[in-house]
Structures are given as structure tokens and as C-alpha cells.
Amino acid sequence: LGVCLVNFLESPDGVLVVLFSLFVAVVSSLQLKRSDLSVRKKTAWIYLLFFSLLFPLVYFLLSVRCAGVFACQADAILKALLTAFVASIGFGYLAVPFLYRWMLKARVLQDPALDELIAVQADRLGIKPPRVFLVDEQKPVAFSTAGLKPAIFVSIGLTELLAKKEREAVLLHELSHIKNSNQLFKFSSVLVKKLVPVLSFNEIDADLKNEEARADAFAVKVQGTGRHLSAAKKKVDAFHSFDGGSPCEFS
């Protein structure tokens, strides 16, 4: 296999594939360092970077006979890759909210006032109103999932800890994340750091912080004041400080 790999890298096709992949990887890395790109565009560049890392290996396995049994099963591998790609999209956009709901034993939060607030603001943002689910957890937690079935999850501990306007501020914060598809970007950024540890992506960390700031700003804009969101964060921070956890950051 080693000899086969050397021959591949010395062949015109191999050199072209490797150079093309390196070019795509460099361009993607440079794009991820830009501060003027939206979260969605940077998510696309992250996955293009993944493509540049996988393309030479996949091309090698599918095109070179001496690569072994993998090359003999090129059609099966190609079908598996396509199936995995389609399945991952379907899982991310269809199954994740249901999986969270099942794993956390979440139930629909019955609050007509909150439902109306979410419906009105979602309509203004041009997105499908997410359903709000209550999680049986005493720690104050709030997070959201996007996709075809967007959802916001809040814990019982959060609803008991926060006042009405503070709960509304948290939900508005999560609604902004759904609008900007921030969850996929968070997952993708963690994945790229694990797979490409030699690269520095401080800009991605800055993007995540900026996205949190935008979500906060949206809640403040809708409510006309920042005191409710600020009070919510202080209460959650105080809880985690007492509990030995990390500072508040609604996800």
C-alpha cells in the first residue's frame, strides 16, 4: 500500500489532486479568518475545508487498483458516501429535535403568552416559529435546534429561577440563534478544530462571541431594554457559581 501511495503521489493525476486539495484548503482557511463573512458562509467554508481534506484520500481509494480491497469496492464506497451525506442532512434537519425531545423526555411548554411572542417575532424574522419544550432538569439550561423542525428547549430550573420577562429574553436570544443557524456553525467549528488541530481559528471563536452578542442585541431590541436579559444572566451565573459550573452562556 505504501508503494502504491508513492506511485499515486508521483503520478500526474495524484499531483493534480493533491495540489487542488491544498489550494482549496488554503483558500478555505483564509476565508475562515475573514471577519466580514456571515456565520452561514463560514459554515459553508468549513465544510469545503473538510472536502479538501477528504478528497485526495477518497480519490486514491476509488481510482488506484493497488489501494486494495477498497478500490475493488469503489461503487459500494461511493454509494456509502452518498448515503451517509444524505442521511447526515436528513438527521440534522429532521431527527435532531425529535432525538433531543426523546433523550431529555421533554414536553411542550404550555404558555400561550410565550407562544404568541415567539410566533410574532419568528414571523418578523421570516422563519418558522419553533416549538418550546420543557426539560425535566433543575439546572437552568436553554438551547435551540434549527432545521425543518426548529425547537427551543428550556429546563424547569430555568423557568423557576427567572421572572416572566427574563424568560422571554432567553427565548428571544434562542430565536435569534435559530434565525442565524448558529447551532450548525457551533458544531462545525468544534469539529474542524478536532480534525485540523494544526490550524488556528481564533476568528471562529470571535464569530461565536459575535453571534452571542447579536442574539443578545435581538432580545434587547424586541424588549426595548437590556435589564431583563442581564438579570437572567446574573441569576444563571449565580446558580452556576454556587454549583461550581461555568459562567452563563445560553447556547
Side-chain angles (χ1 to χ4, degrees):
L1 185 60
V3 174
C4 185
L5 179 60
V6 171
N7 292 335
F8 171 73
L9 294 176
E10 291 178 346
S11 68
D13 287 348
V15 172
L16 184 62
V17 167
V18 171
L19 290 178
F20 170 74
S21 297
L22 285 175
F23 173 76
V24 174
V26 170
V27 172
S28 301
S29 300
L30 292 176
Q31 290 297 316
L32 289 172
K33 292 181 177 294
R34 290 177 56 181
S35 59
D36 59 328
L37 290 183
S38 66
V39 166
R40 290 184 177 182
K41 288 183 179 179
K42 287 203 172 184
T43 303
W45 281 109
I46 285 176
Y47 282 94
L48 191 58
L49 177 61
F50 291 159
F51 167 81
S52 71
L53 298 176
L54 292 174
F55 179 63
L57 177 61
V58 174
Y59 184 87
F60 170 70
L61 294 176
L62 296 181
S63 63
V64 181
R65 289 187 177 277
C66 61
V69 67
F70 294 106
C72 297
Q73 299 176 351
D75 290 341
I77 294 175
L78 184 58
K79 290 178 181 178
L81 289 173
L82 292 174
T83 301
F85 177 72
V86 174
S88 63
I89 294 177
F91 181 79
Y93 282 88
L94 295 175
V96 168
F98 296 102
L99 183 62
Y100 272 120
R101 185 177 178 182
W102 174 73
M103 291 176 58
L104 299 173
K105 298 179 181 179
R107 61 183 187 274
V108 177
L109 178 62
Q110 302 295 339
D111 191 326
L114 285 179
D115 289 341
E116 182 178 1
L117 173 69
I118 293 296
V120 170
Q121 296 304 323
D123 182 65
R124 291 179 178 177
L125 290 174
I127 62 176
K128 184 178 180 179
R131 300 187 72 181
V132 182
F133 294 96
L134 190 64
V135 179
D136 188 10
E137 168 63 57
Q138 286 304 312
K139 290 184 178 181
V141 176
F143 66 95
S144 53
T145 59
L148 295 179
K149 293 287 185 179
I152 297 176
F153 296 84
V154 294
S155 65
I156 292 178
L158 187 79
T159 61
E160 293 177 345
L161 180 66
L162 304 184
K164 180 176 181 292
K165 287 295 183 179
E166 295 164 357
R167 293 195 298 270
E168 290 179 357
V170 172
L171 291 177
L172 290 170
H173 176 101
E174 295 301 330
L175 191 63
S176 176
H177 282 327
I178 292 175
K179 166 64 177 178
N180 295 320
S181 300
N182 189 48
Q183 299 80 3
L184 180 59
F185 181 65
K186 283 185 176 182
F187 172 78
S188 305
S189 62
V190 171
L191 190 59
V192 75
K193 287 179 181 179
K194 295 292 185 181
L195 295 179
V196 198
V198 296
L199 297 179
S200 174
F201 288 110
N202 293 328
E203 290 76 10
I204 291 180
D205 293 331
D207 288 329
L208 292 173
K209 291 180 180 179
N210 290 337
E211 174 56 28
E212 292 298 325
R214 283 193 289 269
D216 287 348
F218 175 73
V220 171
K221 179 181 178 181
V222 173
Q223 292 189 314
T225 177
R227 63 188 180 91
H228 301 307
L229 184 63
S230 178
K233 289 191 173 187
K234 287 180 180 179
K235 288 182 179 180
V236 175
D237 280 343
F239 180 95
H240 287 300
S241 177
F242 178 79
D243 193 48
S246 58
C248 168
E249 180 178 320
F250 303 119
S251 56

